[in-house]
């Protein structure tokens, strides 16, 4: 069977962690990558679920607040500049 090279750039820490894992499993990087590629072909896609992480409660609350501000801009104070906002915040401190 003819082989070919694939060059992939990854974070050095990720590579080290993956190499340690594969070594514990009795694999080298090439064997692990070949297993992934064969599995992808057999699944006719990525062999695991790929999705965006769900936002945590704090992020959800911030997004809800942002949507509320967009719907009702007249209920919220607006500033002409960042400096204006900082000056008011410091005056209240």
């Amino acid at each position: 069977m003819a082989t070919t090279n694939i060059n992939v750039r990854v974070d050095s820490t990720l590579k080290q962690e993956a190499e340690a894992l594969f070594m514990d499993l009795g694999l080298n990087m090439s064997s692990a990558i070949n297993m992934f590629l064969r599995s992808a072909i057999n699944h006719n896609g990525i062999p695991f679920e790929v999705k965006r992480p769900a936002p945590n409660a704090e992020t959800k609350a911030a997004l809800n607040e942002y949507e509320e501000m967009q719907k009702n801009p007249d209920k919220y104070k607006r500033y002409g500049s960042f400096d204006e906002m900082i000056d008011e915040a410091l005056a209240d401190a």
Side-chain angles (χ1 to χ4, degrees):
M1 169 175 56
T3 61
T4 188
N5 290 326
I6 298 175
N7 295 316
V8 179
R9 292 191 179 275
V10 296
D11 176 78
S12 60
T13 303
L14 174 63
K15 180 180 182 254
Q16 291 171 354
E17 291 174 358
E19 284 176 330
L21 170 65
F22 299 149
M23 186 183 311
D24 285 347
L25 296 172
L27 301 168
N28 61 30
M29 186 69 74
S30 291
S31 296
I33 291 171
N34 274 301
M35 289 172 69
F36 168 77
L37 295 175
R38 289 197 183 282
S39 183
I41 291 167
N42 289 338
H43 283 85
N44 200 29
I46 302 294
F48 47 83
E49 186 175 49
V50 178
K51 62 182 184 177
R52 290 185 279 187
N56 63 25
E58 183 179 2
T59 302
K60 285 180 184 178
L63 291 170
N64 290 337
E65 182 179 6
Y66 173 70
E67 288 174 7
E68 171 63 22
M69 292 172 83
Q70 281 187 312
K71 290 177 187 173
N72 302 296
D74 52 314
K75 291 184 178 181
Y76 299 92
K77 178 149 177 112
R78 299 178 79 69
Y79 298 93
S81 70
F82 180 74
D83 289 336
E84 183 184 335
M85 181 195 68
I86 292 296
D87 289 344
E88 183 177 316
L90 291 176
D92 290 342

